[in-house]
Structures are given as structure tokens and as C-alpha cells.
Amino acid sequence: MTPSPSRRQTLSWIALAAVAAALLWLLAPVLTPFIVAAVLAYALQPLVEALAARRWPRVLAVLLVETLAVVAVLALLLLLVPVIAKEVPLLREQIPQLAARFNEHVTPWLAQYGVEFRLDTASVKDLAARLFGGQVEDWAATLLESARIGGSFLLTLVGNAVLIPVVLFFLLMDWPQLVERVRQLIPPRLRPQAIDFVAECDALLGQYLRGQLLVMLILAVYYSAGLALFGFDLALPVGVFTGLAVFIPYLGFGLGLLLALLSGLLQFAGWHAVVAVAVVYGLGQLIESFLLTPYLVGERIGLNPLAVIFALLAFGHLFGFVGVLVALPLSAVTLVALRRLRGMYVASRLYTG
């Protein structure tokens, strides 16, 4: 039986999508710097266009925006370095003491309920020494060994660090021309519908990303200030990490909470750290859930937090780091497609009878 023209067209689009997914999976390591640059270009392009509208030369606008982005990334890395440099030696020294305090305070409480549990402090101390002892030297030796045998990991890291800014520069410079070339590739008979669909996806994703960025910045300032008021030495890096990590719903907040609790337990004795973290992070979760997310991101967008988590995990599992980068754009496209399919279904005879 010969398929109808509409069915042949549908099968052709499905085949193209399958080929694109296969190429994405096969070429993921090669495509990583290009997709990273494309995601950054999509996020930074409105700033470039805003400067260009104020009659800035486009090359100066691109250089300024890209320089600010690079400085922001470097500042974030410099904030995280103190956490690693300070927490690792403290972990080696304090974990055995935490185990002893657990045996002193928690074990008797558990015994009241018939639970016999006691940590072997000698084994805990030996494990901490093996996990955190001489780790910096081990990492340095690994990098040197990698460089000696070919340095594939080191060369890839350096290559991406150089390639991403270069690709980002050219993408930002040629963004209007690239958009026009893609538009010209769409068949004329499908162009109005396709442009309308892409515009809806762009509005959805842009609103989500802009709102989420504001939420991240506000929470980074809040958590840093809150932890600093309670005397945390690492208030700034831990607070900034927590604020930025909330981009991953629930999981990011949980990681920040654990990092703050660990930092407090290593710095303070007693319940000061637990109470401080409970107050700061409990209030922060209320502010995010009832004020920031509804007003800045908006529930009308429809990107459910559980859907975001599933998309990040699923695409990350299938395509690695590249999958994480394309998860949100593809989720926005899928959501818009599902909305339109639902509208078609509600308007069809199958629904109305």
C-alpha cells in the first residue's frame, strides 16, 4: 500500500530527527564545545542586540558581552577553589571527631529505641586519611602522567577552553545571518507555521531562563549574606554555589544544603551549625517557592520541576554532557508541541464527538 503524501512527509521528518539524534550521540565529544558555545550564544545574544540597538559597533558589543561572561565564569571558579582547598584538609581532621561525637550523643539516643549502632572511629579515621590524604599531589601526578602518555584529557580541556570563546565570538557576530539561513531552509509552504512554533519555543525558553537567572542571583546573594551573619568562614563560596545550583530543582538545593551543613560542622562545635543552616536554608526555600519562582519564573510557563529533572537526567544519560546542554531547549520544544497537539485533539471530532 502506497503511503499518502502527508504520511510520507511525516515519515521523512521522523527519519531526519532520528539521523540528527544518532549524529548527536556519535559526535557528542566533538560537538561539546560547539554546543556549549551555541547555548551561551543563545543566552548572551539579547545583550549583544541591545547594545547594537544603541548603535554600538557589533564587534565591540560582542567583545564586551563575551568578556563579561568569561570574567563571571572565572570568578565562579575562584569562589569554588577555597571550598576545595579548605574543606579537604578539614575533612581529614574533623571526620574522626564527628564520628566520636556521633558515638557520644546519637548512639545512646538510638539505644533507647532498641537500635544498636556504633561507628568504628579507627576505621573512619583510616578511611578519611585514604580519601583525603595527599589528594592534591595525586591529582597533580595524574595530570602529569596524562600529559606524558599523550595528555588526551589535558589537551581536550585546554582545547575546549580556547575553542569555546572563539566559536562563541563568531556565533554572536553572525547570529542574525545564521537565523536567516535557517529560516530559508524551511520549505515556503511550512514557513509560517514553523516560524510561529519556533517563536513560541523561544518565548517559553527565554522567559524560563531569564526568570531562573534572576532567581539564582537573588538566592546567591541571600545565602551568602545569611551564612555570613551566622559567622560561616566559607559563606560567600557556599552561598554562591547554592544560589547557582538551584537551577537544578530540588537536587541543587540539596547539594547546597549538604555543603553548608558540612562546612558548618567542620567549623563549629555543637548545634550552632545545624540551627544556622536550618534557619537560612528553610527561610530560603520558602522565599524561593512562594515569592521568587511564582513572580520571576511564573507557573504559567509550564516547565514542571520534575520534568526538568527528568529531562536533565535522561538526556545526560543518553548523550552525556552534551545531552545536559540540550535538555532544556528540547524540553521547551516538546512542551510547545504537546500543547499544540492537545489543542488539535480538543478541537477534533475525536474529542467533540
Side-chain angles (χ1 to χ4, degrees):
M1 179 178 178
T2 304
S4 63
S6 61
R7 182 169 295 182
R8 285 200 303 268
Q9 186 181 39
T10 302
L11 292 175
S12 299
W13 283 112
I14 293 175
L16 288 174
V19 170
L23 289 176
L24 184 67
W25 182 69
L26 292 172
L27 299 177
V30 178
L31 292 175
T32 298
F34 295 93
I35 294 181
V36 171
V39 172
L40 291 174
Y42 176 80
L44 298 176
Q45 180 263 341
L47 295 177
V48 174
E49 298 301 332
L51 292 176
R54 294 176 177 271
R55 298 186 179 181
W56 279 55
R58 190 169 186 87
V59 63
L60 292 181
V62 170
L63 287 174
L64 176 61
V65 171
E66 187 169 354
T67 300
L68 292 176
V70 171
V71 169
V73 172
L74 291 177
L76 177 61
L77 292 176
L78 291 176
L79 282 173
L80 295 179
V81 166
V83 176
I84 299 174
K86 188 169 184 177
E87 293 292 340
V88 169
L90 285 176
L91 283 171
R92 184 174 63 247
E93 298 172 4
Q94 296 291 336
I95 282 181
Q97 298 181 24
L98 292 176
R101 270 187 274 176
F102 180 90
N103 290 336
E104 180 182 353
H105 299 287
V106 180
T107 299
W109 178 76
L110 292 176
Q112 297 176 6
Y113 298 93
V115 179
E116 296 293 334
F117 183 81
R118 188 176 185 85
L119 294 174
D120 185 353
T121 54
S123 300
V124 171
K125 183 177 181 180
D126 180 66
L127 179 63
R130 284 189 284 111
L131 287 177
F132 304 108
Q135 205 168 26
V136 176
E137 292 80 0
D138 294 340
W139 293 344
T142 301
L143 288 176
L144 290 176
E145 181 66 16
S146 174
R148 188 182 65 81
I149 64 176
S152 57
F153 172 77
L154 191 61
L155 289 176
T156 301
L157 190 63
V158 175
N160 288 342
V162 174
L163 185 59
I164 289 174
V166 174
V167 176
L168 176 60
F169 174 82
F170 285 107
L171 286 176
L172 289 175
M173 284 294 297
D174 299 333
W175 191 267
Q177 293 83 356
L178 290 173
V179 172
E180 179 60 24
R181 290 170 192 165
V182 173
R183 193 184 73 85
Q184 293 296 332
L185 291 176
I186 303 173
R189 67 183 185 281
L190 301 176
R191 199 168 291 168
Q193 300 94 321
I195 292 176
D196 182 58
F197 180 82
V198 172
E200 187 176 349
C201 294
D202 178 65
L204 173 72
L205 186 61
Q207 185 179 356
Y208 179 83
L209 291 178
R210 285 191 296 270
Q212 195 63 48
L213 180 60
L214 286 175
V215 171
M216 290 160 57
L217 292 176
I218 293 173
L219 288 179
V221 174
Y222 164 77
Y223 284 119
S224 299
L227 293 176
L229 289 175
F230 281 97
F232 279 61
D233 291 338
L234 297 177
L236 182 61
V238 173
V240 170
F241 173 83
T242 305
L244 298 183
V246 297
F247 183 77
I248 306 175
Y250 306 129
L251 295 180
F253 173 81
L255 289 175
L257 176 64
L258 289 177
L259 183 61
L261 187 60
L262 179 62
S263 174
L265 289 175
L266 293 178
Q267 180 181 345
F268 304 106
W271 291 95
H272 177 82
V274 177
V275 173
V277 171
V279 171
V280 173
Y281 280 74
L283 184 58
Q285 184 66 14
L286 292 175
I287 293 173
E288 177 190 356
S289 301
F290 293 101
L291 291 178
L292 297 181
T293 299
Y295 286 101
L296 296 180
V297 179
E299 297 178 357
R300 62 186 181 277
I301 294 178
L303 283 178
N304 187 278
L306 293 179
V308 174
I309 293 176
F310 176 80
L312 292 173
L313 293 177
F315 284 101
H317 174 72
L318 292 174
F319 304 109
F321 182 65
V322 171
V324 175
L325 294 174
V326 301
L328 278 181
L330 292 181
S331 298
V333 172
T334 303
L335 179 61
V336 173
L338 290 176
R339 285 178 178 176
R340 298 201 169 197
L341 286 175
R342 181 183 179 277
M344 294 170 59
Y345 166 68
V346 171
S348 68
R349 291 184 179 179
L350 184 62
Y351 180 82
T352 59

PDB file of all heavy atoms in Angstrom, residues 156-181:
ATOM      1  N   THR A 156      42.275  18.023  25.716  1.00  0.00           N
ATOM      2  CA  THR A 156      40.861  18.288  25.475  1.00  0.00           C
ATOM      3  C   THR A 156      40.368  19.452  26.317  1.00  0.00           C
ATOM      4  O   THR A 156      39.646  20.333  25.835  1.00  0.00           O
ATOM      5  CB  THR A 156      40.021  17.034  25.791  1.00  0.00           C
ATOM      6  OG1 THR A 156      40.465  15.962  24.956  1.00  0.00           O
ATOM      7  CG2 THR A 156      38.549  17.292  25.552  1.00  0.00           C
ATOM      8  N   LEU A 157      40.788  19.474  27.591  1.00  0.00           N
ATOM      9  CA  LEU A 157      40.372  20.553  28.481  1.00  0.00           C
ATOM     10  C   LEU A 157      40.884  21.902  27.995  1.00  0.00           C
ATOM     11  O   LEU A 157      40.131  22.882  27.901  1.00  0.00           O
ATOM     12  CB  LEU A 157      40.883  20.266  29.893  1.00  0.00           C
ATOM     13  CG  LEU A 157      40.362  21.157  31.009  1.00  0.00           C
ATOM     14  CD1 LEU A 157      38.858  21.000  31.164  1.00  0.00           C
ATOM     15  CD2 LEU A 157      41.060  20.841  32.324  1.00  0.00           C
ATOM     16  N   VAL A 158      42.168  21.949  27.657  1.00  0.00           N
ATOM     17  CA  VAL A 158      42.758  23.208  27.170  1.00  0.00           C
ATOM     18  C   VAL A 158      42.161  23.599  25.825  1.00  0.00           C
ATOM     19  O   VAL A 158      41.852  24.776  25.572  1.00  0.00           O
ATOM     20  CB  VAL A 158      44.291  23.074  27.087  1.00  0.00           C
ATOM     21  CG1 VAL A 158      44.904  24.324  26.459  1.00  0.00           C
ATOM     22  CG2 VAL A 158      44.882  22.835  28.470  1.00  0.00           C
ATOM     23  N   GLY A 159      41.976  22.596  24.961  1.00  0.00           N
ATOM     24  CA  GLY A 159      41.407  22.883  23.644  1.00  0.00           C
ATOM     25  C   GLY A 159      40.001  23.460  23.730  1.00  0.00           C
ATOM     26  O   GLY A 159      39.671  24.427  23.036  1.00  0.00           O
ATOM     27  N   ASN A 160      39.183  22.883  24.600  1.00  0.00           N
ATOM     28  CA  ASN A 160      37.829  23.411  24.774  1.00  0.00           C
ATOM     29  C   ASN A 160      37.838  24.812  25.376  1.00  0.00           C
ATOM     30  O   ASN A 160      37.020  25.660  24.996  1.00  0.00           O
ATOM     31  CB  ASN A 160      37.007  22.476  25.660  1.00  0.00           C
ATOM     32  CG  ASN A 160      36.632  21.192  24.951  1.00  0.00           C
ATOM     33  OD1 ASN A 160      36.686  21.105  23.720  1.00  0.00           O
ATOM     34  ND2 ASN A 160      36.268  20.182  25.720  1.00  0.00           N
ATOM     35  N   ALA A 161      38.756  25.053  26.316  1.00  0.00           N
ATOM     36  CA  ALA A 161      38.847  26.374  26.935  1.00  0.00           C
ATOM     37  C   ALA A 161      39.210  27.444  25.907  1.00  0.00           C
ATOM     38  O   ALA A 161      38.812  28.606  26.044  1.00  0.00           O
ATOM     39  CB  ALA A 161      39.879  26.356  28.060  1.00  0.00           C
ATOM     40  N   VAL A 162      39.965  27.063  24.889  1.00  0.00           N
ATOM     41  CA  VAL A 162      40.326  28.012  23.828  1.00  0.00           C
ATOM     42  C   VAL A 162      39.245  28.072  22.758  1.00  0.00           C
ATOM     43  O   VAL A 162      38.900  29.142  22.244  1.00  0.00           O
ATOM     44  CB  VAL A 162      41.684  27.623  23.211  1.00  0.00           C
ATOM     45  CG1 VAL A 162      42.007  28.511  22.014  1.00  0.00           C
ATOM     46  CG2 VAL A 162      42.785  27.713  24.255  1.00  0.00           C
ATOM     47  N   LEU A 163      38.701  26.900  22.407  1.00  0.00           N
ATOM     48  CA  LEU A 163      37.772  26.823  21.281  1.00  0.00           C
ATOM     49  C   LEU A 163      36.419  27.449  21.590  1.00  0.00           C
ATOM     50  O   LEU A 163      35.827  28.118  20.733  1.00  0.00           O
ATOM     51  CB  LEU A 163      37.588  25.356  20.879  1.00  0.00           C
ATOM     52  CG  LEU A 163      36.734  25.081  19.639  1.00  0.00           C
ATOM     53  CD1 LEU A 163      37.323  25.788  18.416  1.00  0.00           C
ATOM     54  CD2 LEU A 163      36.630  23.583  19.393  1.00  0.00           C
ATOM     55  N   ILE A 164      35.902  27.257  22.802  1.00  0.00           N
ATOM     56  CA  ILE A 164      34.558  27.751  23.133  1.00  0.00           C
ATOM     57  C   ILE A 164      34.464  29.270  22.978  1.00  0.00           C
ATOM     58  O   ILE A 164      33.519  29.770  22.347  1.00  0.00           O
ATOM     59  CB  ILE A 164      34.157  27.299  24.547  1.00  0.00           C
ATOM     60  CG1 ILE A 164      33.888  25.790  24.557  1.00  0.00           C
ATOM     61  CG2 ILE A 164      32.916  28.049  25.027  1.00  0.00           C
ATOM     62  CD1 ILE A 164      33.629  25.226  25.930  1.00  0.00           C
ATOM     63  N   PRO A 165      35.408  30.071  23.534  1.00  0.00           N
ATOM     64  CA  PRO A 165      35.296  31.527  23.319  1.00  0.00           C
ATOM     65  C   PRO A 165      35.390  31.928  21.852  1.00  0.00           C
ATOM     66  O   PRO A 165      34.713  32.875  21.419  1.00  0.00           O
ATOM     67  CB  PRO A 165      36.470  32.097  24.133  1.00  0.00           C
ATOM     68  CG  PRO A 165      36.774  31.049  25.154  1.00  0.00           C
ATOM     69  CD  PRO A 165      36.503  29.759  24.473  1.00  0.00           C
ATOM     70  N   VAL A 166      36.216  31.212  21.083  1.00  0.00           N
ATOM     71  CA  VAL A 166      36.348  31.542  19.658  1.00  0.00           C
ATOM     72  C   VAL A 166      35.039  31.270  18.926  1.00  0.00           C
ATOM     73  O   VAL A 166      34.534  32.115  18.166  1.00  0.00           O
ATOM     74  CB  VAL A 166      37.506  30.744  19.030  1.00  0.00           C
ATOM     75  CG1 VAL A 166      37.557  30.970  17.517  1.00  0.00           C
ATOM     76  CG2 VAL A 166      38.835  31.145  19.660  1.00  0.00           C
ATOM     77  N   VAL A 167      34.463  30.079  19.141  1.00  0.00           N
ATOM     78  CA  VAL A 167      33.190  29.734  18.492  1.00  0.00           C
ATOM     79  C   VAL A 167      32.089  30.681  18.954  1.00  0.00           C
ATOM     80  O   VAL A 167      31.251  31.126  18.151  1.00  0.00           O
ATOM     81  CB  VAL A 167      32.822  28.270  18.789  1.00  0.00           C
ATOM     82  CG1 VAL A 167      31.453  27.933  18.210  1.00  0.00           C
ATOM     83  CG2 VAL A 167      33.886  27.328  18.228  1.00  0.00           C
ATOM     84  N   LEU A 168      32.079  31.008  20.246  1.00  0.00           N
ATOM     85  CA  LEU A 168      31.073  31.924  20.779  1.00  0.00           C
ATOM     86  C   LEU A 168      31.173  33.286  20.100  1.00  0.00           C
ATOM     87  O   LEU A 168      30.141  33.902  19.765  1.00  0.00           O
ATOM     88  CB  LEU A 168      31.262  32.066  22.292  1.00  0.00           C
ATOM     89  CG  LEU A 168      30.346  33.065  23.007  1.00  0.00           C
ATOM     90  CD1 LEU A 168      28.889  32.675  22.835  1.00  0.00           C
ATOM     91  CD2 LEU A 168      30.706  33.138  24.488  1.00  0.00           C
ATOM     92  N   PHE A 169      32.372  33.778  19.869  1.00  0.00           N
ATOM     93  CA  PHE A 169      32.558  35.078  19.222  1.00  0.00           C
ATOM     94  C   PHE A 169      31.940  35.077  17.825  1.00  0.00           C
ATOM     95  O   PHE A 169      31.172  35.992  17.459  1.00  0.00           O
ATOM     96  CB  PHE A 169      34.043  35.420  19.144  1.00  0.00           C
ATOM     97  CG  PHE A 169      34.343  36.669  18.370  1.00  0.00           C
ATOM     98  CD1 PHE A 169      34.221  37.916  18.972  1.00  0.00           C
ATOM     99  CD2 PHE A 169      34.728  36.607  17.045  1.00  0.00           C
ATOM    100  CE1 PHE A 169      34.482  39.077  18.256  1.00  0.00           C
ATOM    101  CE2 PHE A 169      34.995  37.761  16.324  1.00  0.00           C
ATOM    102  CZ  PHE A 169      34.869  38.996  16.932  1.00  0.00           C
ATOM    103  N   PHE A 170      32.240  34.053  17.040  1.00  0.00           N
ATOM    104  CA  PHE A 170      31.728  34.022  15.671  1.00  0.00           C
ATOM    105  C   PHE A 170      30.213  33.801  15.640  1.00  0.00           C
ATOM    106  O   PHE A 170      29.521  34.348  14.772  1.00  0.00           O
ATOM    107  CB  PHE A 170      32.440  32.927  14.866  1.00  0.00           C
ATOM    108  CG  PHE A 170      33.846  33.301  14.479  1.00  0.00           C
ATOM    109  CD1 PHE A 170      34.925  32.706  15.107  1.00  0.00           C
ATOM    110  CD2 PHE A 170      34.088  34.254  13.511  1.00  0.00           C
ATOM    111  CE1 PHE A 170      36.223  33.047  14.758  1.00  0.00           C
ATOM    112  CE2 PHE A 170      35.387  34.608  13.151  1.00  0.00           C
ATOM    113  CZ  PHE A 170      36.455  34.003  13.783  1.00  0.00           C
ATOM    114  N   LEU A 171      29.697  33.018  16.578  1.00  0.00           N
ATOM    115  CA  LEU A 171      28.247  32.828  16.623  1.00  0.00           C
ATOM    116  C   LEU A 171      27.527  34.137  16.953  1.00  0.00           C
ATOM    117  O   LEU A 171      26.500  34.469  16.344  1.00  0.00           O
ATOM    118  CB  LEU A 171      27.893  31.757  17.656  1.00  0.00           C
ATOM    119  CG  LEU A 171      28.180  30.305  17.277  1.00  0.00           C
ATOM    120  CD1 LEU A 171      27.861  29.375  18.438  1.00  0.00           C
ATOM    121  CD2 LEU A 171      27.393  29.894  16.037  1.00  0.00           C
ATOM    122  N   LEU A 172      28.044  34.878  17.935  1.00  0.00           N
ATOM    123  CA  LEU A 172      27.419  36.148  18.293  1.00  0.00           C
ATOM    124  C   LEU A 172      27.548  37.175  17.163  1.00  0.00           C
ATOM    125  O   LEU A 172      26.625  37.970  16.937  1.00  0.00           O
ATOM    126  CB  LEU A 172      28.050  36.697  19.572  1.00  0.00           C
ATOM    127  CG  LEU A 172      27.712  35.949  20.864  1.00  0.00           C
ATOM    128  CD1 LEU A 172      28.506  36.514  22.035  1.00  0.00           C
ATOM    129  CD2 LEU A 172      26.218  36.030  21.156  1.00  0.00           C
ATOM    130  N   MET A 173      28.659  37.142  16.464  1.00  0.00           N
ATOM    131  CA  MET A 173      28.845  38.078  15.349  1.00  0.00           C
ATOM    132  C   MET A 173      27.863  37.794  14.214  1.00  0.00           C
ATOM    133  O   MET A 173      27.298  38.710  13.608  1.00  0.00           O
ATOM    134  CB  MET A 173      30.284  37.987  14.835  1.00  0.00           C
ATOM    135  CG  MET A 173      31.312  38.681  15.711  1.00  0.00           C
ATOM    136  SD  MET A 173      31.112  40.483  15.755  1.00  0.00           S
ATOM    137  CE  MET A 173      31.404  40.908  14.043  1.00  0.00           C
ATOM    138  N   ASP A 174      27.635  36.497  13.925  1.00  0.00           N
ATOM    139  CA  ASP A 174      26.827  36.126  12.763  1.00  0.00           C
ATOM    140  C   ASP A 174      25.433  35.649  13.128  1.00  0.00           C
ATOM    141  O   ASP A 174      24.773  35.016  12.292  1.00  0.00           O
ATOM    142  CB  ASP A 174      27.554  35.006  11.982  1.00  0.00           C
ATOM    143  CG  ASP A 174      28.912  35.457  11.468  1.00  0.00           C
ATOM    144  OD1 ASP A 174      29.091  36.663  11.251  1.00  0.00           O
ATOM    145  OD2 ASP A 174      29.795  34.589  11.292  1.00  0.00           O
ATOM    146  N   TRP A 175      24.972  35.900  14.362  1.00  0.00           N
ATOM    147  CA  TRP A 175      23.693  35.340  14.792  1.00  0.00           C
ATOM    148  C   TRP A 175      22.520  35.726  13.886  1.00  0.00           C
ATOM    149  O   TRP A 175      21.740  34.852  13.474  1.00  0.00           O
ATOM    150  CB  TRP A 175      23.405  35.756  16.235  1.00  0.00           C
ATOM    151  CG  TRP A 175      22.257  35.033  16.846  1.00  0.00           C
ATOM    152  CD1 TRP A 175      20.953  35.426  16.882  1.00  0.00           C
ATOM    153  CD2 TRP A 175      22.300  33.751  17.501  1.00  0.00           C
ATOM    154  NE1 TRP A 175      20.183  34.489  17.524  1.00  0.00           N
ATOM    155  CE2 TRP A 175      20.992  33.460  17.919  1.00  0.00           C
ATOM    156  CE3 TRP A 175      23.322  32.855  17.785  1.00  0.00           C
ATOM    157  CZ2 TRP A 175      20.669  32.282  18.590  1.00  0.00           C
ATOM    158  CZ3 TRP A 175      23.012  31.687  18.464  1.00  0.00           C
ATOM    159  CH2 TRP A 175      21.700  31.409  18.848  1.00  0.00           C
ATOM    160  N   PRO A 176      22.327  36.997  13.534  1.00  0.00           N
ATOM    161  CA  PRO A 176      21.186  37.325  12.651  1.00  0.00           C
ATOM    162  C   PRO A 176      21.270  36.604  11.310  1.00  0.00           C
ATOM    163  O   PRO A 176      20.253  36.119  10.794  1.00  0.00           O
ATOM    164  CB  PRO A 176      21.290  38.842  12.483  1.00  0.00           C
ATOM    165  CG  PRO A 176      22.064  39.306  13.679  1.00  0.00           C
ATOM    166  CD  PRO A 176      23.044  38.215  13.962  1.00  0.00           C
ATOM    167  N   GLN A 177      22.485  36.510  10.728  1.00  0.00           N
ATOM    168  CA  GLN A 177      22.634  35.810   9.454  1.00  0.00           C
ATOM    169  C   GLN A 177      22.357  34.313   9.588  1.00  0.00           C
ATOM    170  O   GLN A 177      21.734  33.706   8.707  1.00  0.00           O
ATOM    171  CB  GLN A 177      24.046  36.024   8.898  1.00  0.00           C
ATOM    172  CG  GLN A 177      24.337  37.451   8.475  1.00  0.00           C
ATOM    173  CD  GLN A 177      24.764  38.343   9.646  1.00  0.00           C
ATOM    174  OE1 GLN A 177      24.760  37.899  10.795  1.00  0.00           O
ATOM    175  NE2 GLN A 177      25.111  39.579   9.344  1.00  0.00           N
ATOM    176  N   LEU A 178      22.788  33.721  10.718  1.00  0.00           N
ATOM    177  CA  LEU A 178      22.524  32.296  10.937  1.00  0.00           C
ATOM    178  C   LEU A 178      21.030  32.018  11.058  1.00  0.00           C
ATOM    179  O   LEU A 178      20.520  31.042  10.500  1.00  0.00           O
ATOM    180  CB  LEU A 178      23.253  31.820  12.202  1.00  0.00           C
ATOM    181  CG  LEU A 178      24.775  31.753  12.121  1.00  0.00           C
ATOM    182  CD1 LEU A 178      25.353  31.427  13.494  1.00  0.00           C
ATOM    183  CD2 LEU A 178      25.207  30.704  11.107  1.00  0.00           C
ATOM    184  N   VAL A 179      20.332  32.886  11.792  1.00  0.00           N
ATOM    185  CA  VAL A 179      18.886  32.717  11.933  1.00  0.00           C
ATOM    186  C   VAL A 179      18.196  32.825  10.583  1.00  0.00           C
ATOM    187  O   VAL A 179      17.286  32.043  10.254  1.00  0.00           O
ATOM    188  CB  VAL A 179      18.329  33.764  12.916  1.00  0.00           C
ATOM    189  CG1 VAL A 179      16.800  33.735  12.927  1.00  0.00           C
ATOM    190  CG2 VAL A 179      18.869  33.506  14.317  1.00  0.00           C
ATOM    191  N   GLU A 180      18.636  33.759   9.754  1.00  0.00           N
ATOM    192  CA  GLU A 180      18.033  33.932   8.429  1.00  0.00           C
ATOM    193  C   GLU A 180      18.312  32.726   7.531  1.00  0.00           C
ATOM    194  O   GLU A 180      17.436  32.276   6.776  1.00  0.00           O
ATOM    195  CB  GLU A 180      18.563  35.208   7.784  1.00  0.00           C
ATOM    196  CG  GLU A 180      18.010  35.485   6.388  1.00  0.00           C
ATOM    197  CD  GLU A 180      16.495  35.639   6.367  1.00  0.00           C
ATOM    198  OE1 GLU A 180      15.905  35.990   7.403  1.00  0.00           O
ATOM    199  OE2 GLU A 180      15.900  35.399   5.313  1.00  0.00           O
ATOM    200  N   ARG A 181      19.532  32.165   7.623  1.00  0.00           N
ATOM    201  CA  ARG A 181      19.850  30.981   6.810  1.00  0.00           C
ATOM    202  C   ARG A 181      18.989  29.795   7.206  1.00  0.00           C
ATOM    203  O   ARG A 181      18.523  29.031   6.349  1.00  0.00           O
ATOM    204  CB  ARG A 181      21.334  30.633   6.960  1.00  0.00           C
ATOM    205  CG  ARG A 181      22.271  31.628   6.298  1.00  0.00           C
ATOM    206  CD  ARG A 181      23.706  31.346   6.701  1.00  0.00           C
ATOM    207  NE  ARG A 181      24.595  32.430   6.317  1.00  0.00           N
ATOM    208  CZ  ARG A 181      25.832  32.576   6.782  1.00  0.00           C
ATOM    209  NH1 ARG A 181      26.321  31.706   7.651  1.00  0.00           N
ATOM    210  NH2 ARG A 181      26.572  33.590   6.380  1.00  0.00           N
TER     211      ARG A 181
END
